[in-house]
Amino acid sequence: MNDAAPVTPIRVFLLDDHEVVRRGLSDLLDSEPDLSVVGDAGTAREALARAPAVRPHVAVLDVRLGGAGETGDQEGIEVCRELRARMPELACLMLTSFDDDEALFDAIMAGASGYVLKQIKGSDLVSAIRTVASGQSMLDPGATARVMARLRGPEKPDTPPELARLSPREREILELIGDGMTNRQIAERLFLAEKTVKNRISAILSKLGVARRVQAAVIAERIRERDRS
């Protein structure tokens, strides 16, 4: 007679805008005795509504939703940030088709535990989920070192200190704030969701240590004047 207690499965939530991908991932993960897919979503809104209700241990999140392409949105990272705010114990594993330092930077800042490419083997993805579920990190050491170097200080000696705190995408948004653009106009210019722009602007204000959008616009203009001089 075996008195060993049954293993509690790792509860996994999936976010990907392709149904076929979600089904394939579900079949792969549910075939493992210690993994259980407890929910999935095809959009950021669905993920934010469904994931907290099923209390997953790990969320596997596609970085870019809606077929936005290599320069498109990063809604999956915004979902990571929001879910982590609601469930600090949740481990988020970002899944992407693109090897992108900016996305990795944003993922780390959003609290992601791991970042893997979609070309990963199924067995390696299963291992990655187990790794982040155990509280460990699945971030490439070399890429993480590059991100930490950006966090420590300016990329170049002449980089204004205000810009040193911002990611390239945030710098782009700051410039457009300086141009007097609204959130909607910025979203249209950069092919982002308006909510994503709003979240990015909140992060920009926090990093710049200001409370109002107009203050950020003043900083943007000051940087412009410095560049012109």
Side-chain angles (χ1 to χ4, degrees), residues 17-97:
D17 54 333
H18 295 98
E19 183 183 3
V20 172
V21 174
R22 296 199 306 275
R23 287 188 178 186
L25 287 174
S26 292
D27 291 344
L28 169 70
L29 301 182
D30 280 335
S31 68
E32 299 292 328
D34 61 333
L35 302 180
S36 175
V37 176
V38 294
D40 67 74
T43 68
R45 180 174 294 184
E46 289 175 353
L48 293 175
R50 296 174 184 175
V54 296
R55 308 302 297 178
H57 301 117
V58 177
V60 179
L61 308 173
D62 187 10
V63 169
R64 290 181 170 88
L65 305 175
E70 187 168 355
T71 59
D73 202 355
Q74 295 180 5
E75 279 191 285
I77 292 175
E78 301 300 333
V79 171
C80 172
R81 182 178 288 108
E82 181 64 27
L83 289 180
R84 290 269 303 157
R86 299 185 194 180
M87 298 180 288
E89 72 284 358
L90 177 68
C92 291
L93 182 64
M94 309 309 300
L95 196 59
T96 181
S97 302

Side-chain angles (χ1 to χ4, degrees), residues 11 13 18 30 45 58 85 93 102 110 121 126 215 224:
R11 298 166 63 82
F13 186 89
H18 295 98
D30 280 335
R45 180 174 294 184
V58 177
L93 182 64
E102 181 184 343
K121 292 180 180 178
V126 167
Q215 293 171 297
R224 267 191 202 140

Side-chain angles (χ1 to χ4, degrees), residues 11 23-24 66 92 109 118 125 131 133-134 138 147 167 172 179 181 185 188 195 209 213:
R11 298 166 63 82
R23 287 188 178 186
C92 291
M109 297 304 292
K118 283 188 174 180
L125 178 61
T131 296
S134 71
M138 267 297 299
V147 169
S167 71
E172 207 172 356
D179 289 336
M181 285 192 177
Q185 289 170 328
E188 291 173 354
K195 179 174 174 52
R213 185 191 189 100

